[in-house]
Every structure is written in structure tokens, then in C-alpha cells.
Amino acid sequence: MSAARNGYRDSTNRPVVAVTGMGIVTSLGQGRADNWSALTSGRSGIHAIERFPTEGLRTTIGGTVDFVTAEPLCAPVLSERLADLAIGEAVEQSQAGRVGDFPGPLFLAVPPVEMEWPQRQTLARAVNGDGPPDYSTLVEAARGGGYESLYRLFAFAGVADILADRYGTKGAPVSLSTACASGATAIQLGVEAIRRGECDAALCAASDGSVHAEALIRFSLLSALSTRNDPPEKAAKPFSKDRDGFVMAEGAAALVLESLDHAMARGATILGVIEGCGEKADSFHRTRSSPDGHAIYGAMQAAIDDAGVSADEVDYVNAHGTGTPENDKMEHLGMETVFGERHAQVPISSNKSMIGHTLTAAGAIEAVFSLMTMAEGRLPPTINYDTPDPAIPLDVVPNTARDAAVRRTLSNSFGFGGQNVCLVLAAEPA
Amino acid sequence: MSEERRPVLITGVGLVSALAEGLEAHWAALDVAGGAAPPVDRESYSPYPIHPLVEVDFDQQIPKRGDQRQMEPWQRIGTYAAGMALDSAGIKGQTEILSSTDMIVAAGGGERDIAVDSAVLGEIVNRDEFGTILNERLSNDLRPTLFLAQLPNLLAGNISIVHKVTGSSRTFMGEEMAGVDAVRAAYARVASGQSEICLVGGSFNAARHDLILLFELGGYLWESDWCPVWERTDRGGGLVPGSMGAFLVLESADHAARRGKPGLARLDGVASERTTRGPGAAGNAAAGQLNALRTALTGAPLAVLSGASGVEPATSEERTFVTQLAKDHDASVRAAGTAIGHGFEAQFPAIVGLATLVASQRSLYPPRDGSGVELPAASPIGQILATCWGHWRGEGMALVTALDAG
């Protein structure tokens, strides 16, 4: 053991970052236990959308979280409720700080919210104008006053403001978006802050409660969504030959990160370690990866490098695995490039086959599942894998969970806008 | 806090606003007797004045028309300013450096299609159940690519595509606080050795009905004839949105030296905080931030560039804070919002950009203020303290030092 690697410091003498608390909510349920049980029994959380009428839409299914109430039901309120449930569970498990006094900053991935149609309609109705309403009508209504709470709802800083107050996090909360990589970015920001010595602990959370009609239609217009509406639970088919898009979904996850010495000093239970974070942006296209895959395998390799390990030491990959024709093909290319001859033997499974694509929250949700995979020694499956794609010869843990000893997991997140973030998580400090 | 801090240089600034394009043109517009007065559009969003962007030839930084068409104006402004910053830093087109250049963007939400929204609103306003008609109209009327022109992280995406900045890409959200934390994170990463070179900034398009609506919900807009920021406090206060794009290139002194780039100024610290704005809370936070930066104050003549929005009561509180600060440090104050308006996510990067300009000129431009806060400044200016209190949340501060002033 080198002098630098003393257990609390990694191979480049940075503080080791431990996970001491985790919380999760998805369409499969609330909390770690329910989610893990559903996930490893191969259950799907995808169902017909009932939240709004789907008549006339090409896609009518989703992984909405319907057992959590939000009033009014809109993206910022539901996203805040979901984040609150996940953070509450993580903080309780961690026991870091005191209730309402978390000893570090908040990094929160949230969907970009904006006023929704019910609010626009309410404003338009508040004014008795001549002729059809337009933005001047809405502004006239706003001038009547009394809408400060509506402003705070749709200000980008709004959700984090509520959560920072409730949990007593320190400093300015950072709200962020790197599209479908957002959850991983939230974790990365926490890791970096701890490594810089700015804080001993960080609360990293990601939430998405934004399945409403307009959001669904926007993704649908980009031809990104599965249209295999019946039966809903069979729609998400990552790595299958007949995959036809992702399924929009909701959820949230939170992780309490601490420097290992801080966690050990207070006798906390170490749930795992974030060993490495890797990033590589793609400059090819707004929604597609560079055909040579360099940004995807660049991010995967960067995470492995940052962890100070080699690809041979990675036992399992938690896939981005959206089930779009493009993503899964490129992710396979990334596997081939990073793992070489081993690529078809390293198990890789997609949680999204069961929970759908939780968008902003996905990177954090899948990091929690990755840590549980290692702790439980059981690989969650890729369900709906009935027609393998011969162009993607991977061990996707087809259809049923499998016991396996996993010491180290690579978790992939690839976003629209070319933002790719990968994490290397380990069961225990090296 | 971390033990070791490397010096962080500002080696590039891209700034475009209502006032001018580029640092030189900003100085020419600012350094005039009686102070700068930015163009005001009093009509388009009446009764709210806005500062429209100076006329810009987007082809200069976004040569492909196809790329321009994929962006709404807020993204075009930001991608343009980012290109200016890369030019200024001398790394435009330098593929190897750009492929390891990090990026943090502070972004708001994208622009809605006002015509589609208005048409849909007309259809649904009198219906109790409007789900089905909404599905039909949005499915048929929304441009598929509009979504991408609206997503906050697609400003960074466009900068990667157009300028090939691909080391890393993060987008912070949350109005002014996003801009402050973006600069703070970029600074901290370079200072700690986590990054060698980082492009950081944001953009804001004031000419938007959807944002005028949003800000009026909160009651934040100034709705009389334009006047300087400090003069608004006893008339109820309010902000005048200003279109702007502001990007900085932050770089470790070592990295800049290796490529022979002298730098424009040094960034000596960035602080961010969020108070709930009880009476005196923001002032206390700012006092704490100043205290943390105190060891970096060299005693060289100081200027204060305030990001005060004009919104009350924060602007009155900030006036008290900067007035005392000016007295304690024999400093002169300018409200950046008077010169360029208020640009939310872009405000703090723009102020740090203006501070870099003042540092490189070693001189502060003349005041434009009838309230007595702004006074003529002594020369040469050695350091600039930039403040940025958000219109609702977020308190930020940065210290910029002239390179030949210690």
C-alpha cells in the first residue's frame, strides 16, 4: 500500500467519497425495500397513463408515479414531492447531521419547469378581454397581483429552495440539468466538492415528475418514445431487436455522500463508494451520438480512469439502456471499445426495462440500484428481452434476476445535447 | 476548505449586451461623460421597458445557418458569446485544447412559440375539459425541434456542436444563483486542479412575452420610463430585463503560461449563498462573503460592480451594503444593471466580464446615477468586487484583480 492510499485517500490522494444514505421512489413503489423487491422480481412499473386524456396521442403509456399526491398537480410540485420522499429516506438512513440541519450542500437535478396549461387557462379566464386571449391577456391577469406563489412554482430555483429550507442544507443549492445524465451529474458535483475539501458531506438528489401532456408530445414529436402501448409493461425493450423507443417515467433518488473519514469518524454505515466520475461531451448532433461512439466510450473510460482502476476490475454495468434503436447500439459500441474481448461476458442490465426512463432522475436512481446490486449480490434483469438483437451480443441478464458477486459497477448516463456522464461505484473502499 | 489554491486567470471574455458587442466596444460605450445609457425598447412589451440586444451578425460565430435555425434567440446569443470568449482566449478552433476544455452553462428555460400558445389558449379558454383538444393541437402545431431549442442544457449542447468544446458539459439552473454557482464551480475546479481550463457563462433574451409574463407574476418588472438602478428604490423598485450573452474562459496560470497567454485579469475568489431574504439577511451574507475574501484584498484602489436588479427591498439593502463598503475601502460603486439591464442567469458572468474590462483598463467608467451612490473613481483601479443579489434568491460575490496590481 502506497503512502497515498491509506484507506481514507484514493490513489491520487483525494478523499474517498462514501455513500451513507440512499432514498428512492419510482413507479414500482416508494423506498429501497419495495423498489428492490419489485426490480429483482422483474416487475414493470409501466402502465396506461390516466393522469390526463391520451386520446389522439401516439404514445399513451408511462411510468408515472400515481401514488404520490401533488397539489396542484404540475411538474414542479410533483418533482418536489418525489425529491422530498427520496431525500427523507436517504437522510434518515445516513443519520448525518441533525433533522433539518444537513451538514453540507444540496445538488439537485430537476426538470426544467414552466407554466403549464391549467395555469395559463386560469390566468386567461381571470380577464374579461375582447377577442381571443394571448400573452397580453395573461400579462394583464398577472398585473392584477396575487400570483407570487405561482412565480415561485415556476422559477427554476423554486424546488431546490423548498428542499434546502426543509433539510437545512448549507450554502446555495445547485439546481442542474444535463438532460438524461442529470442524476449522475448531481452525484459528480457532490463528489467533486468533497474531493476539493469544500465540504465533508453532500446531499445529491435527482427528481422528475414531469409527465404531462405537453412533455409527452414533445418527446413523441422527436420520435423518441415507444408506441407499443399494449400491453404497457412490454413496451420498454432495451437491447431487443424490436425495441422502438423509451418510455417516459417519473421518480426520484437521493444519496448522502461523505468523505470516508467523516463517515467513519461518526460511526456511519458505509453503503458503498463513488470511486470515479467521467464525462465527455459530444459535438456531433443535438439528439444523436457521434457514429464512432467516441464520446460514449470516452465517458465510460474517463470514469474508470478517474476511479484509478482498469476495465478488467469492473464486474457489472448498469446500462443507460433506454430502448431507443440509437442508444442501445451506441452503448454496445461503448462496451466493445472499453471492455474489448470481455464485453460480451460483463453483465449489463437496464433498469429502464422495468421503471422506464426517469429522465432527470435516471442517473441517481440507477446509482442507488447499482449500490443495492452490489450489497445484495443480485443482478436485476433486463425484462422484455424476447427477441435478442444479433448486432448487440451482450449479457443483458435477460428477463430474470441473477445472483452474482459484484465488487464494482459502471453506471452509464447519456443525455440529449451530447452530455454523457458515467460513474464507477464500489461496494467497499479499496 | 481546500489547502492549496492555484491562481486562476480570466483569459477570455465574450460579452454582448444591449450596450455593445465585445469588451472594447463596451468600454467605448461606458467611458462617456454622464455615463452610459443603454438602448431601451419602451413599446414592444409596454408598459415594461426592456433592453434589446445590440445588432449582431450571428454568422460571425455560428457560421452554419442550419445551426442557427436549430436555436431560439437565447441559445443563439449564448452560443455567439461563447464563441467570442474562445476567440478572446485564443483557443477558437484549437481542437485539442477544446476537447479538454470544461464547460459550465447557467441557463433559463427556452422560448415558447407565442403564436401556437395563443392559438391553443383561444381553443381551451372556455372549456372545462381541454385535454383532448390540447393533445390534438400540440401534436399538430408544435415544431418537433422547438423542444430542443427550449431545453436549458441544449445551450451547452449547441456550444459543443458549434465550437467543439467537449471536455465536459454541465448546466446549472436557478436564475441569478445559477450564474453565480457556475462561475464559483468553474473557479473552484480550476483553483483546486480538477480542471485546467473552463468556459463558463450564460445568456438571456429579454425580448420574450413568456418571460415578461413570468416575471410579472412575481411583480418584479419596472414599468415606467427607464432610469438608473439606484434611482428606482424610492419609486417602488423594479428590474429592466436586458438581453445579454456573457462567457468567461477561466484558466490555471500554468496552463495559460504553457500556451503563452498572458490573461486579462485574475479571479481571486467567488462566493455564493442563499438566504431567505428576511430583513438584513442578504446583507449579512454579503458581509460574510466579503470577510472570506478579505485576505485577497491587496489594498489597491477598489471598485464595486453591483448586480443590483432594482427590485425592492433587496436593492435598498444592497445600496446600504455597497455604500458602507465604498466608505470602508474608499471604493467607487457602479450598478451594472444601469448599463446593460438585468440578465438573470447571465448577470453574474456579465458583471465578472465587466470587472475584467475595468481591471484591464485600470480605470472605472463615469457614473450615471442621480441618487448619490455612484461617485467618480480614483485611478488606477487595482481590484474589483462584483456583487450579485438575485431578484428573489441568491447572493454572490467575486473578486477580480488587475494583473499588474498584485
Short mmCIF file of all heavy atoms in Angstrom, two decimals, chain B residues 362-398:
data_model
loop_
_atom_site.label_atom_id
_atom_site.label_comp_id
_atom_site.label_asym_id
_atom_site.label_seq_id
_atom_site.Cartn_x
_atom_site.Cartn_y
_atom_site.Cartn_z
N ARG B 362 -7.68 49.41 -15.94
CA ARG B 362 -7.21 50.02 -14.68
C ARG B 362 -7.97 51.30 -14.37
O ARG B 362 -7.45 52.24 -13.75
CB ARG B 362 -5.70 50.33 -14.73
CG ARG B 362 -4.80 49.14 -15.00
CD ARG B 362 -4.85 48.09 -13.89
NE ARG B 362 -4.62 48.62 -12.56
CZ ARG B 362 -3.43 48.73 -11.99
NH1 ARG B 362 -2.37 48.33 -12.65
NH2 ARG B 362 -3.31 49.19 -10.77
N SER B 363 -9.22 51.33 -14.80
CA SER B 363 -9.99 52.56 -14.67
C SER B 363 -11.48 52.21 -14.61
O SER B 363 -11.92 51.24 -15.23
CB SER B 363 -9.70 53.45 -15.89
OG SER B 363 -10.55 54.57 -15.88
N LEU B 364 -12.22 53.01 -13.85
CA LEU B 364 -13.66 52.80 -13.76
C LEU B 364 -14.38 53.85 -14.59
O LEU B 364 -13.98 55.02 -14.59
CB LEU B 364 -14.11 52.87 -12.29
CG LEU B 364 -15.57 52.50 -11.99
CD1 LEU B 364 -15.89 51.07 -12.42
CD2 LEU B 364 -15.86 52.67 -10.50
N TYR B 365 -15.41 53.45 -15.27
CA TYR B 365 -16.12 54.38 -16.15
C TYR B 365 -16.96 55.37 -15.34
O TYR B 365 -17.23 55.15 -14.15
CB TYR B 365 -16.97 53.61 -17.17
CG TYR B 365 -17.93 52.61 -16.56
CD1 TYR B 365 -19.21 52.99 -16.17
CD2 TYR B 365 -17.56 51.28 -16.36
CE1 TYR B 365 -20.10 52.09 -15.61
CE2 TYR B 365 -18.43 50.37 -15.81
CZ TYR B 365 -19.71 50.78 -15.42
OH TYR B 365 -20.58 49.88 -14.87
N PRO B 366 -17.37 56.47 -15.94
CA PRO B 366 -18.10 57.51 -15.20
C PRO B 366 -19.45 57.02 -14.68
O PRO B 366 -20.06 56.13 -15.26
CB PRO B 366 -18.30 58.62 -16.24
CG PRO B 366 -17.29 58.37 -17.29
CD PRO B 366 -17.08 56.89 -17.33
N PRO B 367 -19.89 57.62 -13.58
CA PRO B 367 -21.17 57.20 -13.01
C PRO B 367 -22.37 57.71 -13.82
O PRO B 367 -22.26 58.68 -14.55
CB PRO B 367 -21.17 57.85 -11.63
CG PRO B 367 -20.24 59.00 -11.75
CD PRO B 367 -19.22 58.65 -12.78
N ARG B 368 -23.48 57.00 -13.69
CA ARG B 368 -24.75 57.51 -14.19
C ARG B 368 -25.77 57.23 -13.10
O ARG B 368 -26.33 56.14 -13.01
CB ARG B 368 -25.15 56.83 -15.49
CG ARG B 368 -26.43 57.43 -16.06
CD ARG B 368 -26.83 56.78 -17.36
NE ARG B 368 -28.06 57.38 -17.86
CZ ARG B 368 -28.10 58.37 -18.74
NH1 ARG B 368 -26.98 58.86 -19.24
NH2 ARG B 368 -29.25 58.86 -19.14
N ASP B 369 -25.96 58.17 -12.25
CA ASP B 369 -26.78 57.91 -11.06
C ASP B 369 -27.08 59.24 -10.38
O ASP B 369 -26.17 59.97 -9.99
CB ASP B 369 -25.99 56.99 -10.11
CG ASP B 369 -26.66 56.87 -8.76
OD1 ASP B 369 -27.91 56.76 -8.73
OD2 ASP B 369 -25.96 56.92 -7.74
N GLY B 370 -28.35 59.56 -10.22
CA GLY B 370 -28.72 60.78 -9.54
C GLY B 370 -28.96 60.57 -8.06
O GLY B 370 -29.35 61.49 -7.35
N SER B 371 -28.74 59.33 -7.57
CA SER B 371 -29.08 59.05 -6.17
C SER B 371 -27.91 59.31 -5.22
O SER B 371 -28.09 59.28 -4.01
CB SER B 371 -29.52 57.59 -6.04
OG SER B 371 -28.39 56.74 -6.02
N GLY B 372 -26.72 59.52 -5.78
CA GLY B 372 -25.57 59.78 -4.92
C GLY B 372 -24.78 58.55 -4.54
O GLY B 372 -23.76 58.65 -3.85
N VAL B 373 -25.20 57.36 -4.96
CA VAL B 373 -24.43 56.15 -4.64
C VAL B 373 -23.15 56.10 -5.47
O VAL B 373 -22.09 55.76 -4.97
CB VAL B 373 -25.27 54.88 -4.91
CG1 VAL B 373 -24.43 53.62 -4.70
CG2 VAL B 373 -26.50 54.86 -4.01
N GLU B 374 -23.27 56.45 -6.73
CA GLU B 374 -22.13 56.33 -7.64
C GLU B 374 -21.38 57.67 -7.71
O GLU B 374 -21.98 58.71 -7.96
CB GLU B 374 -22.60 55.92 -9.04
CG GLU B 374 -23.33 54.59 -9.04
CD GLU B 374 -23.65 54.07 -10.43
OE1 GLU B 374 -23.24 54.71 -11.43
OE2 GLU B 374 -24.30 53.01 -10.52
N LEU B 375 -20.07 57.60 -7.47
CA LEU B 375 -19.24 58.80 -7.49
C LEU B 375 -18.07 58.58 -8.43
O LEU B 375 -17.70 57.43 -8.72
CB LEU B 375 -18.71 59.09 -6.08
CG LEU B 375 -19.79 59.33 -5.01
CD1 LEU B 375 -19.19 59.31 -3.62
CD2 LEU B 375 -20.54 60.63 -5.29
N PRO B 376 -17.46 59.64 -8.92
CA PRO B 376 -16.28 59.47 -9.77
C PRO B 376 -15.21 58.67 -9.02
O PRO B 376 -15.11 58.74 -7.80
CB PRO B 376 -15.81 60.90 -10.04
CG PRO B 376 -17.02 61.74 -9.84
CD PRO B 376 -17.82 61.06 -8.76
N ALA B 377 -14.42 57.90 -9.79
CA ALA B 377 -13.47 56.99 -9.16
C ALA B 377 -12.05 57.47 -9.32
O ALA B 377 -11.70 58.14 -10.29
CB ALA B 377 -13.59 55.61 -9.81
N ALA B 378 -11.23 57.09 -8.32
CA ALA B 378 -9.79 57.33 -8.44
C ALA B 378 -9.20 56.30 -9.39
O ALA B 378 -9.73 55.22 -9.57
CB ALA B 378 -9.14 57.22 -7.06
N SER B 379 -8.09 56.62 -10.00
CA SER B 379 -7.35 55.66 -10.83
C SER B 379 -5.96 55.52 -10.22
O SER B 379 -5.50 56.40 -9.51
CB SER B 379 -7.23 56.18 -12.26
OG SER B 379 -8.40 55.90 -12.97
N PRO B 380 -5.22 54.47 -10.48
CA PRO B 380 -5.69 53.31 -11.24
C PRO B 380 -6.43 52.32 -10.34
O PRO B 380 -6.04 52.11 -9.20
CB PRO B 380 -4.39 52.70 -11.75
CG PRO B 380 -3.39 53.04 -10.67
CD PRO B 380 -3.81 54.35 -10.07
N ILE B 381 -7.50 51.75 -10.86
CA ILE B 381 -8.23 50.69 -10.13
C ILE B 381 -7.37 49.43 -10.12
O ILE B 381 -6.81 49.05 -11.14
CB ILE B 381 -9.57 50.40 -10.83
CG1 ILE B 381 -10.49 51.62 -10.80
CG2 ILE B 381 -10.25 49.18 -10.21
CD1 ILE B 381 -10.98 52.02 -9.43
N GLY B 382 -7.26 48.80 -8.95
CA GLY B 382 -6.46 47.58 -8.86
C GLY B 382 -7.30 46.33 -8.68
O GLY B 382 -6.92 45.25 -9.14
N GLN B 383 -8.43 46.48 -8.00
CA GLN B 383 -9.30 45.32 -7.78
C GLN B 383 -10.76 45.71 -7.94
O GLN B 383 -11.13 46.88 -7.73
CB GLN B 383 -9.09 44.75 -6.36
CG GLN B 383 -7.73 44.06 -6.21
CD GLN B 383 -7.64 43.28 -4.92
OE1 GLN B 383 -7.79 43.84 -3.84
NE2 GLN B 383 -7.40 41.98 -5.03
N ILE B 384 -11.56 44.74 -8.32
CA ILE B 384 -13.00 44.97 -8.50
C ILE B 384 -13.75 43.89 -7.73
O ILE B 384 -13.52 42.69 -7.92
CB ILE B 384 -13.42 44.91 -9.99
CG1 ILE B 384 -12.63 45.93 -10.80
CG2 ILE B 384 -14.92 45.15 -10.13
CD1 ILE B 384 -11.39 45.38 -11.46
N LEU B 385 -14.66 44.33 -6.89
CA LEU B 385 -15.53 43.42 -6.18
C LEU B 385 -16.86 43.39 -6.93
O LEU B 385 -17.48 44.44 -7.13
CB LEU B 385 -15.73 43.91 -4.75
CG LEU B 385 -16.10 42.90 -3.69
CD1 LEU B 385 -15.04 41.83 -3.53
CD2 LEU B 385 -16.33 43.62 -2.37
N ALA B 386 -17.26 42.23 -7.38
CA ALA B 386 -18.53 42.09 -8.09
C ALA B 386 -19.56 41.49 -7.15
O ALA B 386 -19.28 40.49 -6.49
CB ALA B 386 -18.35 41.19 -9.31
N THR B 387 -20.72 42.10 -7.06
CA THR B 387 -21.78 41.53 -6.24
C THR B 387 -22.96 41.17 -7.13
O THR B 387 -23.14 41.76 -8.19
CB THR B 387 -22.29 42.50 -5.16
OG1 THR B 387 -22.96 43.59 -5.81
CG2 THR B 387 -21.16 43.02 -4.31
N CYS B 388 -23.73 40.19 -6.70
CA CYS B 388 -24.92 39.83 -7.48
C CYS B 388 -25.97 39.24 -6.54
O CYS B 388 -25.85 38.10 -6.11
CB CYS B 388 -24.55 38.81 -8.56
SG CYS B 388 -25.91 38.41 -9.67
N TRP B 389 -26.94 40.08 -6.20
CA TRP B 389 -28.05 39.58 -5.39
C TRP B 389 -29.19 39.32 -6.35
O TRP B 389 -29.62 40.21 -7.08
CB TRP B 389 -28.47 40.61 -4.35
CG TRP B 389 -27.43 40.91 -3.31
CD1 TRP B 389 -26.11 40.54 -3.31
CD2 TRP B 389 -27.63 41.66 -2.11
NE1 TRP B 389 -25.48 41.01 -2.19
CE2 TRP B 389 -26.40 41.71 -1.43
CE3 TRP B 389 -28.73 42.30 -1.53
CZ2 TRP B 389 -26.23 42.37 -0.21
CZ3 TRP B 389 -28.58 42.96 -0.32
CH2 TRP B 389 -27.34 42.98 0.33
N GLY B 390 -29.71 38.13 -6.33
CA GLY B 390 -30.79 37.78 -7.23
C GLY B 390 -32.05 38.58 -6.95
O GLY B 390 -32.24 39.11 -5.86
N HIS B 391 -32.92 38.62 -7.95
CA HIS B 391 -34.17 39.39 -7.76
C HIS B 391 -35.03 38.76 -6.69
O HIS B 391 -35.81 39.42 -6.03
CB HIS B 391 -34.93 39.46 -9.10
CG HIS B 391 -35.47 38.14 -9.54
ND1 HIS B 391 -34.66 37.14 -10.03
CD2 HIS B 391 -36.73 37.63 -9.51
CE1 HIS B 391 -35.42 36.08 -10.32
NE2 HIS B 391 -36.67 36.35 -10.01
N TRP B 392 -34.87 37.42 -6.51
CA TRP B 392 -35.65 36.72 -5.47
C TRP B 392 -34.73 35.97 -4.52
O TRP B 392 -34.85 36.08 -3.30
CB TRP B 392 -36.65 35.75 -6.13
CG TRP B 392 -37.36 34.85 -5.18
CD1 TRP B 392 -38.07 35.23 -4.05
CD2 TRP B 392 -37.45 33.42 -5.23
NE1 TRP B 392 -38.58 34.11 -3.43
CE2 TRP B 392 -38.23 32.99 -4.12
CE3 TRP B 392 -36.96 32.45 -6.12
CZ2 TRP B 392 -38.52 31.64 -3.89
CZ3 TRP B 392 -37.26 31.10 -5.88
CH2 TRP B 392 -38.04 30.73 -4.77
N ARG B 393 -33.79 35.22 -5.09
CA ARG B 393 -32.92 34.39 -4.27
C ARG B 393 -31.48 34.50 -4.77
O ARG B 393 -31.24 34.78 -5.93
CB ARG B 393 -33.33 32.93 -4.36
CG ARG B 393 -34.55 32.57 -3.55
CD ARG B 393 -34.24 32.55 -2.06
NE ARG B 393 -35.40 32.07 -1.31
CZ ARG B 393 -36.33 32.86 -0.78
NH1 ARG B 393 -36.25 34.18 -0.92
NH2 ARG B 393 -37.35 32.35 -0.12
N GLY B 394 -30.56 34.19 -3.89
CA GLY B 394 -29.17 34.03 -4.29
C GLY B 394 -28.35 35.29 -4.08
O GLY B 394 -28.74 36.38 -4.48
N GLU B 395 -27.22 35.11 -3.37
CA GLU B 395 -26.30 36.22 -3.16
C GLU B 395 -24.91 35.76 -3.59
O GLU B 395 -24.43 34.73 -3.11
CB GLU B 395 -26.28 36.64 -1.67
CG GLU B 395 -27.59 37.22 -1.17
CD GLU B 395 -28.60 36.16 -0.75
OE1 GLU B 395 -28.19 35.04 -0.43
OE2 GLU B 395 -29.81 36.46 -0.77
N GLY B 396 -24.30 36.51 -4.48
CA GLY B 396 -23.00 36.12 -4.99
C GLY B 396 -22.00 37.26 -4.92
O GLY B 396 -22.37 38.43 -4.85
N MET B 397 -20.73 36.88 -4.92
CA MET B 397 -19.65 37.89 -4.88
C MET B 397 -18.41 37.30 -5.55
O MET B 397 -18.15 36.11 -5.45
CB MET B 397 -19.34 38.27 -3.44
CG MET B 397 -18.39 39.45 -3.30
SD MET B 397 -18.10 39.87 -1.55
CE MET B 397 -19.60 40.74 -1.13
N ALA B 398 -17.68 38.16 -6.23
CA ALA B 398 -16.41 37.73 -6.81
C ALA B 398 -15.40 38.86 -6.68
O ALA B 398 -15.78 40.04 -6.61
CB ALA B 398 -16.58 37.36 -8.28
#
